[in-house]
Amino acid sequence: MKCLLLANESAEVLFYWTDTEFEQRVQEQYGVSQEEGERLPAFEDSINTLFAPIIISCSTMVDRLGDNYTSFSTENNHIYVLHQFEECLYIAVNGDGDETEEDLKRKIFVMKKLTEIMFGMVTFSGALLRKELRPQDTEQRNRLWKKLRSLLETYSRLRENDQSFLVEAVERLIHPTLCEQCIEFLERRLVQQINSNMDRMGEEVLHAFILVHTKLLAFYSSRNASNLYSSDLLALIILVQDLYPSKINLDETSEELESSSVPEVFYTPEPSPPERESVRQRGDSPPVFQFVDPDVQMAEDSLQTLEAPTPDPSAPSRVFLESKECPMPHSMYCLPLWPGITLVLLTKIPNSHVATSVCYFLEAFVKLEKRLCEGHEGAAAMRGQPSVQEQRSRLEKLIKTWAGMDIQTSQLQNAWTDFKNKAFICCPLCTGSFLQLSAWAAVKKLMDWKDFLLVKSKRNITMEFPGLIHFIYVDRSNGQMIAPSLNVTDRTVSELGKGPLADFIKKKVWSLVATAQRYLQKGYATVTLRDGDYFYCYFLWFENETGYKLEVIDIPSSPDDGAPVGMLTCDYYRKLLRYYSKKHQNEVVKCYELFTVHLGVIPNEYILQHCSQLARKLWEPTRIPLL
Amino acid sequence: MENTSVSVSSILIVILEGKRFGLTANCTSYVFHHISKSSFFFLYDSSKVQEEVDLTRDGIYYFSPEDTPIDQQELLCGQLAGVCRCVSELSSSPVRLLHLRKSKYAVRMKDKFLWALSCVVDIPDVSVCDLLDQLIALFCFYNGPVRQSYQLYSKQELALRWARYLCHLQGGSTELHHIFSCLRTIDSTHIDPLLLLKAALILQACQRCPLVLAGCILYRGRVVSTQMPPALTVKVMVYETQTYSQDFQVTANGLSSLVGSPFSSTATTQVFLMPTELHMLRCPPVDRACRYKSRSFLSKKSSFVRSRLLSRTLSDTPTTDTDSSSLDPTHCPPPSYKTVPSSPRSSLSDELCFSPSPSRVNTPIHSNLMNQSEYFTPDSHVHSTSNGTNLCAVEEHLAGLNIKQDIDANSGSETKSNGLNSDQDIQSEEIKAPANGYEQSNCLDNHSDLDSQIKSEENKLDANNHVTNKNGNGETEEEAKTKSKQINRKLKEKNEPTNTPSPHETLEDTSLVPLVLYQHRVKGLVLALLVEPEFITDHSAREEVHHSSLASLNGLEAHLRNTSPGTPGPPGPYTFAHYDCIQNTLTTNVCGRSVGPQDQAFVKATKLVHSHFSRLDTLQEAIVRNASSAVYGTRTTAQETYFLQQGTPVRNSGSPDPQDSAFSLPRKARLRLLKHGVNLL
């Protein structure tokens, strides 16, 4: 029984997602009419009614007590987690015991991250976000919500099954030779070629990478590209997985699961089924991209692109990536090479610099509005900030510049919309043929490796320590992790075998990570636990670039209502590294984590020795350059 | 566009709902930003706030701190009650815990009542929930079912009691005590073990009287020895802890002046036990059939029994008598009771109910808590005997307890009832009769709040039933019916029948069983016994218990008084806490309030690990380490132990290292704690 809800301060639901159980419960409890056609609005309405008292109470608490609810739990262990981002209130509910309070909080933060990736700076303003998330047109709204729901479900699936989403770090396929070759390929054959093509209408490929399922095979960034943060990369993997869900962790058993437990409200998009089928049938023959003509209607608004009913490989998605100044709009092209293997290109769009100015003014106006609302007592606080006049002249200047760019500037409101459209307008980077060419090249390149890669993605690394059951090693400085696979439902047997034991261990690993993160949040960087027949260790430490272990520091404990520990949301580790680096200004500081599960019968000394050896051994693979 | 109209209407509904839930607070612009600073406790009755015109304040039965502005009280109660109700409807289950950014609330919802107790966020959830449950249980222990109590007594009177219970539970000496919500015991390391044995023997001796169920001995607010489960012991301790807690130095000083004078008193209090608690007392794990044996002696030849009881050792326990029927937990008074010929004890209800009842309703209430020690002085006895003057009633009233008190000299020959009981007593008196109609009225209507009250009254009656029967006051069914109707009417007058029937209305509350708490005080020492209600009227039993224990108590008191409290030795190079989950006791070398940084680190880690233990049953041990400290925690089903080695840790990177000193903590803890009687092997 799960639910996630976004509402604004006037208790208007901006988005909701429920599973069937929750929906049924609500309908049973409140006898919502289930007439065909009327079903959806009626359900939305009852959701609205149900949560409104909570939402209203939240704003009362904030206004009058300066405090707010963060969670409720009931005697039958239902959990409600609430979090307010600016004017937007997120509520996540679980009533089936699958998720903890921490999980729900994380889900909320991930949802926030997904909206940021999709809408960028719009999320800065409640009113604008409302407009985006709740379009007047019901049809349009349904399409958008469907997309968001699908993303949320994809995330939940990954979080539940994929270790890289458990620890929120990207997993790399460890094969230095192939990796190197691929990087070279990406550089010479793709990025350089495309960027030198005059046909690209001002677009420029900044990043290119190849994913095997959720694992990263190769990554290349062009020279003038800014850094792609791990949080963004993880979010992009969710987007890719949503477009082309890999069945690696799900296989037959989970297909059953899907059909039984996943209700129709789960709008799992069918990722161009004919293509996939044809690929399978033809076995080894290289896949062909059957380019559908770009959606004719797209253009007006970027949202349209997002809502395209079937993903068209040549139709990019607009994504906003973190940069120092503001969320920068990029185009993302996803090219499935084989089922499970995807090539992703991130391009800079022609007018993206507009975003910086828009962002600046948006922020300034939000601040200004706040100050005006608070009255003029904030005059003192205004010092140090540009005055209204200053802002105005700056804006006028900007508008003049833009006027030169054929942008309508009659009214500020209009201007904003237009700027936004201008900034958001998607022009497909490549014509079908060009893209096809690059894809072909990639396919040819990887042809011989395909099967190997797919297997490798399941058995990335093996272990040889007796008594060691599982480990996860994470390099937080580059946001990458290494772990033996835990494919519980896969046909191929993982290191742990399959069936109940593997499932049991998987649960244990998941709870170990959650526990370690909870202790880390309170400032504990080393934790060992004896739980039943197993012994768990968690270590977090810092090294300099040469691998010299740096002295431990007291990690500040963060408040309970802060962002969850992780990288996907509000990158905790980036902050941690920044905090540590203050004390080590002269060196490059790296941060590592190791989680291990041992059999409890092994004496502690041996376990600790294992851990120390393991850390040394695993240090090497992470040295593989990514460029 | 249809959508918009729908959502508008839904918002309207919401606003109305909100009003009903008390969500739309009175719109004063007062902002309470300091609110998170203190800890709140309140009891709110949502059945009093149903209509739009109803004021939130009418639903507030008790709010602590009491000097909180009423606006703020209304705001908190209204919001929390509204939100909790909304959530519990959504989940069809009462809310248990509510987190805010700056504080958290343990919540209990029952029969339209909502209790909420707040604390700072870093106290483990399990601790604050325990605390709230203890608080409610404490109230019910002394006052019976909550709804009924509020029908019998005014809010102000009960506020005094809530305040006292709250103070008792929150007055624990250290933060660790709060975390484990454990009993405060005397420091056994500084006491001759023989004294503890002696205390245990006194309790066992008292149990020879068949009416005595279990007891405990307290010295200056700390447990010396107890036969009761921890949950009961903590309830019995209320007044003692308060008298001697550090927060009440004044009171304690007042008492110390009394210590010099030869001073001893006994008191009895009506208390209410949950059936499970009673079951535990009546059917303890050890075979106590011997007691029933002696009971039969008592019935035949009480004088003989008494002489036997006066000198006893553990070894003179009579051979067991396997009378299985007498062990039946559900039917409390063993059959042997009934064979007792009408003894001097006429009946409990006689004493309880026919006593003069000084007017209760319009008595002025003291603004502050009464000095407890005063209550036990002979002076107060003088008031007591000059019974009838309202002043006396008020005095006793203020004690917050329906204690009947008498002094050694009188040795229970006459029992005075004080004002507090009066109202209730009258009702009991009236209800007593329709015992036979019990079943019947039970089926009549099962819904209203009134019903629950009646049931509780009936239960009370039921417990006394045998007495009535014994006296041969058989009544016809007709009479019973009429009386029951009268009661109904009376109750209706007291309580407007606005309450809608609630499906949640459990019988838990109403099935509370009345018992009597007997306290015998010798200066700082208190013998507290839970006894069958008959005990009050059974003169010979009281005499027996009193006389048989008096000398031993005096001796024990003298010994304990002369035992130096023992200055805590120099703090070792380590910090530890050992919690006994069975006895609910804590042994620690973290002292009092002045905690150093190491102790703070220890307490912080202990909180986290304890919380982890409470969530995960299979977890056996944990080591958590940050840069400045490492804490080792281990637990079994019976205990939890936490250990921190003091001193600056060696330079360390935090990377996996077998040489890391943190991993030697288990070994060190095993060695170091042996001398504290903690065995971790």
Side-chain angles (χ1 to χ4, degrees):
Chain A
M1 214 197 87
K2 303 180 181 78
C3 171
L4 188 127
L5 178 100
L6 254 94
N8 63 11
E9 276 171 327
S10 44
E12 191 177 15
V13 173
L14 300 184
F15 167 72
Y16 74 88
W17 166 86
T18 62
D19 65 355
T20 20
E21 260 180 82
F22 191 91
E23 193 177 338
Q24 271 166 9
R25 190 190 183 90
V26 167
Q27 277 165 351
E28 274 165 29
Q29 227 170 331
Y30 296 87
V32 173
S33 69
Q34 269 189 286
E35 280 174 62
E36 276 305 311
E38 273 181 24
R39 204 185 67 96
L40 267 177
F43 183 66
E44 188 190 328
D45 189 41
S46 48
I47 282 271
N48 216 337
T49 317
L50 280 175
F51 283 96
I54 302 179
I55 299 164
I56 293 170
S57 183
C58 273
S59 35
T60 312
M61 292 298 274
V62 174
D63 290 349
R64 302 200 49 210
L65 294 178
D67 204 346
N68 203 353
Y69 307 112
T70 55
S71 75
F72 307 106
S73 43
T74 65
E75 284 177 18
N76 60 356
N77 296 320
H78 287 202
I79 309 170
Y80 294 65
V81 172
L82 301 91
H83 200 97
Q84 184 115 25
F85 293 105
E86 301 292 321
E87 296 131 89
C88 217
L89 177 70
Y90 288 65
I91 303 175
V93 185
N94 182 285
D96 53 21
D98 286 351
E99 294 159 301
T100 62
E101 204 175 307
E102 205 56 30
D103 291 334
L104 291 180
K105 196 168 92 181
R106 193 176 294 275
K107 207 183 202 176
I108 285 175
F109 274 80
V110 168
M111 189 65 214
K112 168 96 183 332
K113 175 76 188 174
L114 290 172
T115 57
E116 278 168 1
I117 282 270
M118 288 173 71
F119 305 113
M121 60 208 96
V122 167
T123 50
F124 293 172
S125 149
L128 290 174
L129 184 64
R130 184 193 163 276
K131 260 174 114 182
E132 290 292 348
L133 281 175
R134 222 190 137 82
Q136 279 298 303
D137 179 25
T138 323
E139 214 24 43
Q140 205 181 338
R141 184 164 67 214
N142 285 345
R143 246 183 299 147
L144 173 67
W145 286 11
K146 191 172 153 182
K147 173 76 187 168
L148 284 171
R149 282 172 189 149
S150 162
L151 281 174
L152 196 59
E153 278 155 19
T154 302
Y155 164 71
S156 299
R157 175 171 62 84
L158 292 172
R159 167 84 192 165
E160 223 170 284
N161 295 301
D162 201 308
Q163 294 183 82
S164 61
F165 280 86
L166 170 68
V167 295
E168 297 188 356
V170 180
E171 187 168 359
R172 292 192 56 199
L173 280 182
I174 301 168
H175 195 290
T177 339
L178 182 60
C179 176
E180 217 167 297
Q181 287 179 26
C182 285
I183 291 171
E184 197 188 318
F185 164 79
L186 289 177
E187 181 187 1
R188 303 261 161 82
R189 302 289 304 278
L190 273 178
V191 179
Q192 283 182 5
Q193 276 198 25
I194 295 176
N195 285 351
S196 59
N197 190 317
M198 299 311 285
D199 227 12
R200 61 195 162 91
M201 301 168 74
E203 264 189 284
E204 184 188 341
V205 180
L206 297 178
H207 308 278
F209 54 93
I210 299 173
L211 292 173
V212 181
H213 298 298
T214 55
K215 298 184 175 68
L216 191 63
L217 171 63
F219 186 99
Y220 175 80
S221 296
S222 80
R223 219 154 275 155
N224 42 0
S226 56
N227 190 19
L228 178 68
Y229 290 106
S230 306
S231 56
D232 281 340
L233 186 53
L234 284 163
L236 292 178
I237 295 176
I238 298 177
L239 295 185
V240 174
Q241 278 287 312
D242 184 49
L243 288 172
Y244 307 105
S246 67
K247 301 269 183 186
I248 183 167
N249 290 323
L250 302 171
D251 233 57
E252 36 183 25
T253 33
S254 52
E255 256 162 20
E256 277 168 36
L257 267 176
E258 243 180 355
S259 56
S260 62
S261 72
V262 180
E264 344 110 276
V265 262
F266 274 48
Y267 304 95
T268 319
E270 270 308 309
S272 26
E275 288 167 34
R276 294 168 61 88
E277 282 309 304
S278 62
V279 168
R280 254 180 214 162
Q281 278 158 15
R282 264 178 268 164
D284 276 344
S285 66
V288 178
F289 286 104
Q290 302 171 352
F291 286 110
V292 188
D293 279 333
D295 214 334
V296 198
Q297 289 91 357
M298 69 165 266
E300 283 182 20
D301 200 308
S302 61
L303 289 177
Q304 298 267 324
T305 328
L306 295 169
E307 296 148 14
T310 50
D312 169 10
S314 61
S317 321
R318 171 71 66 247
V319 291
F320 289 84
L321 302 179
E322 279 181 69
S323 72
K324 288 209 174 69
E325 302 87 33
C326 73
M328 288 297 275
H330 288 72
S331 281
M332 181 175 82
Y333 296 82
C334 280
L335 310 166
L337 306 178
W338 284 278
I341 304 182
T342 324
L343 171 69
V344 182
L345 303 177
L346 289 169
T347 67
K348 186 180 134 190
I349 55 169
N351 290 330
S352 64
H353 63 275
V354 175
T356 324
S357 329
V358 169
C359 191
Y360 170 80
F361 282 107
L362 189 59
E363 228 171 319
F365 283 130
V366 167
K367 268 186 207 150
L368 190 66
E369 194 184 353
K370 212 181 246 171
R371 261 185 280 155
L372 289 173
C373 286
E374 282 164 5
H376 290 284
E377 54 200 289
M382 268 170 69
R383 238 176 284 139
Q385 288 174 17
S387 67
V388 185
Q389 276 70 28
E390 238 175 286
Q391 295 281 27
R392 206 182 136 179
S393 62
R394 272 194 210 183
L395 185 66
E396 270 168 6
K397 218 160 111 193
L398 184 79
I399 289 172
K400 258 179 216 153
T401 334
W402 284 348
M405 295 160 64
D406 292 337
I407 300 169
Q408 293 296 315
T409 54
S410 53
Q411 283 177 357
L412 196 61
Q413 186 60 38
N414 276 350
W416 157 242
T417 333
D418 289 343
F419 296 163
K420 188 189 63 174
N421 283 345
K422 196 77 184 171
F424 290 181
I425 274 174
C426 275
C427 41
L429 163 68
C430 318
T431 57
S433 61
F434 187 84
L435 207 62
Q436 201 168 19
L437 215 68
S438 18
W440 263 108
V443 162
K444 239 159 81 189
K445 176 82 205 161
L446 291 173
M447 190 66 224
D448 300 338
W449 294 95
K450 183 197 80 171
D451 290 333
F452 170 77
L453 284 173
L454 290 174
V455 172
K456 179 73 179 166
S457 78
K458 292 177 189 176
R459 304 187 54 144
N460 203 7
I461 188 161
T462 50
M463 317 167 280
E464 62 257 36
F465 287 107
L468 175 64
I469 292 174
H470 193 69
F471 70 82
I472 303 177
Y473 178 80
V474 194
D475 178 350
R476 288 297 178 186
S477 353
N478 62 11
Q480 293 177 13
M481 58 85 81
I482 301 172
S485 64
L486 271 175
N487 293 326
V488 185
T489 55
D490 205 290
R491 260 196 228 97
T492 57
V493 179
S494 73
E495 273 69 35
L496 286 172
K498 55 185 273 183
L501 178 67
D503 200 36
F504 179 75
I505 298 298
K506 187 193 145 203
K507 281 207 184 87
K508 288 291 176 189
V509 171
W510 257 245
S511 89
L512 165 65
V513 172
T515 303
Q517 285 172 343
R518 195 167 48 241
Y519 281 111
L520 180 61
Q521 193 166 31
K522 295 292 162 208
Y524 297 94
T526 305
V527 179
T528 65
L529 305 166
R530 184 178 297 281
D531 176 8
D533 296 330
Y534 300 94
F535 193 85
Y536 305 89
C537 301
Y538 168 70
F539 302 94
L540 177 138
W541 70 97
F542 297 93
E543 293 178 5
N544 69 10
E545 226 173 355
T546 58
Y548 177 76
K549 296 189 173 56
L550 300 170
E551 197 172 348
V552 73
I553 52 154
D554 256 324
I555 295 166
S557 89
S558 29
D560 282 337
D561 63 322
V565 169
M567 303 195 93
L568 178 55
T569 61
C570 302
D571 206 337
Y572 172 88
Y573 293 97
R574 207 198 304 169
K575 285 178 205 149
L576 186 60
L577 274 163
R578 214 180 299 147
Y579 179 81
Y580 194 92
S581 300
K582 275 183 202 155
K583 296 195 171 173
H584 292 262
Q585 305 256 343
N586 307 324
E587 350 183 40
V588 177
V589 178
K590 303 227 158 202
C591 175
Y592 297 91
E593 280 181 299
L594 179 67
F595 305 80
T596 61
V597 182
H598 281 83
L599 284 177
V601 290
I602 315 270
N604 285 15
E605 302 88 82
Y606 291 110
I607 292 180
L608 293 164
Q609 236 155 33
H610 274 180
C611 292
S612 138
Q613 285 168 19
L614 200 58
R616 225 171 303 136
K617 228 175 129 88
L618 290 167
W619 188 76
E620 277 309 317
T622 55
R623 306 283 110 191
I624 306 168
L626 259 189
L627 286 180
Chain B
M1 298 311 101
E2 189 197 330
N3 255 349
T4 356
S5 67
V6 167
S7 49
V8 165
S9 71
S10 79
I11 293 294
L12 257 175
I13 292 167
V14 162
I15 291 166
L16 286 176
E17 290 269 297
K19 186 82 185 168
R20 187 158 61 80
F21 290 169
L23 282 174
T24 42
N26 295 343
C27 292
T28 49
S29 55
Y30 200 128
V31 178
F32 308 100
H33 280 291
H34 61 278
I35 204 159
S36 56
K37 297 274 192 311
S38 47
S39 155
F40 292 99
F41 167 71
F42 64 81
L43 168 58
Y44 181 79
D45 181 2
S46 58
S47 67
K48 292 274 185 288
V49 190
Q50 304 238 319
E51 307 286 324
E52 273 192 63
V53 287
D54 293 337
L55 292 170
T56 310
R57 65 191 66 181
D58 294 340
I60 303 176
Y61 277 22
Y62 177 65
F63 197 103
S64 164
E66 287 172 52
D67 56 359
T68 314
I70 188 73
D71 286 2
Q72 190 175 344
Q73 294 186 15
E74 285 198 317
L75 178 68
L76 261 181
C77 291
Q79 295 301 315
L80 262 48
V83 151
C84 286
R85 170 153 176 200
C86 181
V87 169
S88 63
E89 276 181 8
L90 258 164
S91 288
S92 354
S93 169
V95 172
R96 186 75 187 95
L97 200 66
L98 189 153
H99 282 254
L100 287 107
R101 274 192 292 118
K102 299 170 194 165
S103 60
K104 69 169 99 174
Y105 283 81
V107 175
R108 273 290 179 202
M109 299 170 76
K110 197 158 172 289
D111 306 343
K112 305 261 176 187
F113 280 123
L114 180 126
W115 291 264
L117 174 69
S118 78
C119 70
V120 289
V121 272
D122 66 341
I123 296 284
D125 291 352
V126 58
S127 306
V128 64
C129 287
D130 274 358
L131 199 63
L132 178 63
D133 286 351
Q134 275 187 21
L135 186 57
I136 298 169
L138 205 49
F139 182 90
C140 293
F141 181 73
Y142 285 106
N143 302 287
V146 178
R147 174 86 50 203
Q148 181 193 315
S149 307
Y150 275 92
Q151 282 157 353
L152 295 174
Y153 308 111
S154 71
K155 282 184 192 175
Q156 288 83 349
E157 287 170 68
L158 294 175
L160 281 176
R161 302 185 192 186
W162 280 117
R164 175 160 301 151
Y165 306 144
L166 200 58
C167 177
H168 167 54
L169 289 178
Q170 293 189 327
S173 47
T174 64
E175 199 174 0
L176 282 173
H177 282 85
H178 281 304
I179 296 166
F180 295 104
S181 41
C182 52
L183 289 176
R184 302 213 290 154
T185 53
I186 53 163
D187 185 357
S188 54
T189 50
H190 298 287
I191 283 183
D192 184 355
L194 277 176
L195 289 181
L196 299 179
L197 186 64
K198 184 169 182 171
L201 279 172
I202 294 173
L203 291 176
Q204 280 179 3
C206 291
Q207 271 185 322
R208 293 291 178 77
C209 171
L211 296 174
V212 174
L213 292 171
C216 75
I217 292 179
L218 312 169
Y219 184 69
R220 295 186 162 255
R222 291 172 178 271
V223 180
V224 180
S225 179
T226 181
Q227 297 174 315
M228 302 178 209
L232 264 178
T233 310
V234 80
K235 292 177 190 171
V236 168
M237 289 174 72
V238 169
Y239 294 90
E240 282 311 294
T241 314
Q242 194 183 329
T243 309
Y244 291 101
S245 80
Q246 296 157 5
D247 304 333
F248 285 79
Q249 284 302 326
V250 185
T251 318
N253 292 340
L255 196 119
S256 64
S257 66
L258 290 168
V259 166
S261 61
F263 164 67
S264 157
S265 69
T266 62
T268 52
T269 312
Q270 189 176 32
V271 294
F272 299 84
L273 271 75
M274 286 184 292
T276 47
E277 290 175 326
L278 198 63
H279 177 93
M280 270 196 282
L281 291 184
R282 286 187 174 146
C283 295
V286 291
D287 185 5
R288 280 170 55 187
C290 55
R291 294 186 51 213
Y292 299 114
K293 173 97 173 181
S294 68
R295 181 174 288 142
S296 61
F297 273 121
L298 175 76
S299 60
K300 283 168 196 151
K301 245 186 171 177
S302 56
S303 57
F304 162 70
V305 177
R306 191 182 307 172
S307 61
R308 240 193 91 241
L309 283 171
L310 282 174
S311 66
R312 74 242 152 251
T313 61
L314 275 176
S315 58
D316 78 344
T317 305
T319 47
T320 51
D321 172 353
T322 49
D323 183 358
S324 60
S325 68
S326 63
L327 290 170
D328 182 4
T330 48
H331 191 73
C332 32
S336 55
Y337 275 144
K338 296 197 169 149
T339 65
V340 179
S342 66
S343 59
R345 43 171 169 162
S346 49
S347 78
L348 161 73
S349 35
D350 282 357
E351 291 277 340
L352 262 177
C353 310
F354 296 107
S355 52
S357 49
S359 73
R360 181 191 61 80
V361 185
N362 295 317
T363 52
I365 303 294
H366 268 242
S367 55
N368 50 2
L369 295 180
M370 185 190 146
N371 185 325
Q372 276 303 296
S373 60
E374 204 177 278
Y375 185 60
F376 290 101
T377 62
D379 275 1
S380 92
H381 168 65
V382 174
H383 286 302
S384 236
T385 41
S386 67
N387 188 2
T389 66
N390 269 359
L391 179 66
C392 141
V394 173
E395 281 293 341
E396 300 207 4
H397 202 154
L398 287 167
L401 255 193
N402 34 357
I403 291 185
K404 274 168 284 300
Q405 175 181 14
D406 51 320
I407 283 295
D408 283 336
N410 301 338
S411 59
S413 59
E414 52 175 303
T415 322
K416 306 280 181 300
S417 167
N418 68 20
L420 272 186
N421 248 350
S422 56
D423 222 1
Q424 193 176 352
D425 293 343
I426 291 166
Q427 289 194 355
S428 321
E429 176 194 342
E430 283 174 288
I431 297 163
K432 187 178 60 178
N436 305 333
Y438 174 66
E439 301 274 331
Q440 210 176 358
S441 62
N442 215 358
C443 331
L444 278 178
D445 97 286
N446 234 343
H447 305 295
S448 68
D449 265 6
L450 284 171
D451 193 42
S452 71
Q453 189 187 3
I454 292 168
K455 256 184 251 157
S456 72
E457 294 286 1
E458 281 166 348
N459 274 320
K460 212 197 284 178
L461 169 72
D462 196 33
N464 301 336
N465 214 355
H466 55 278
V467 179
T468 331
N469 287 344
K470 182 187 65 202
N471 291 345
N473 286 352
E475 282 192 13
T476 63
E477 216 173 88
E478 282 306 307
E479 280 170 319
K481 269 188 188 170
T482 1
K483 289 227 173 175
S484 128
K485 273 180 196 160
Q486 282 172 356
I487 297 158
N488 257 322
R489 211 179 312 123
K490 185 177 157 68
L491 292 177
K492 265 178 190 145
E493 283 161 16
K494 269 194 98 76
N495 178 32
E496 288 304 307
T498 48
N499 306 350
T500 49
S502 150
H504 295 291
E505 222 144 82
T506 59
L507 288 169
E508 196 191 310
D509 253 7
T510 53
S511 59
L512 289 173
V513 188
L515 272 193
V516 167
L517 174 65
Y518 166 90
Q519 283 170 303
H520 182 175
R521 165 181 294 272
V522 178
K523 296 172 192 163
L525 189 76
V526 172
L527 165 73
L529 300 172
L530 281 171
V531 294
E532 300 282 2
E534 292 82 4
F535 184 81
I536 290 188
T537 51
D538 189 332
H539 190 70
S540 57
R542 299 185 66 172
E543 291 248 297
E544 268 166 43
V545 169
H546 185 75
H547 289 299
S548 65
S549 58
L550 184 60
S552 320
L553 288 175
N554 277 324
L556 184 61
E557 195 275 335
H559 280 294
L560 286 172
R561 183 157 31 95
N562 294 328
T563 306
S564 63
T567 46
Y574 54 88
T575 308
F576 82 99
H578 175 72
Y579 171 62
D580 183 324
C581 320
I582 309 290
Q583 294 182 55
N584 205 17
T585 55
L586 185 75
T587 319
T588 177
N589 65 352
V590 179
C591 49
R593 316 228 151 143
S594 56
V595 281
Q598 288 266 346
D599 285 346
Q600 274 170 10
F602 176 76
V603 172
K604 181 188 165 195
T606 300
K607 274 186 222 168
L608 278 173
V609 178
H610 172 63
S611 189
H612 196 184
F613 279 142
S614 73
R615 272 195 314 269
L616 190 61
D617 289 337
T618 49
L619 187 63
Q620 295 150 30
E621 57 176 60
I623 296 170
V624 296
R625 212 269 300 276
N626 58 21
S628 50
S629 66
V631 173
Y632 167 65
T634 179
R635 74 112 170 253
T636 63
T637 40
Q639 59 189 40
E640 280 177 36
T641 308
Y642 301 87
F643 181 83
L644 172 141
Q645 178 75 40
Q646 286 179 347
T648 43
V650 276
R651 187 184 180 281
N652 189 292
S653 70
S655 67
D657 179 6
Q659 307 303 320
D660 195 332
S661 60
F663 304 119
S664 61
L665 282 179
R667 191 169 41 79
K668 281 182 189 144
R670 274 194 284 274
L671 282 174
R672 302 274 195 188
L673 296 186
L674 266 178
K675 77 167 178 200
H676 296 276
V678 177
N679 187 355
L680 295 177
L681 298 173

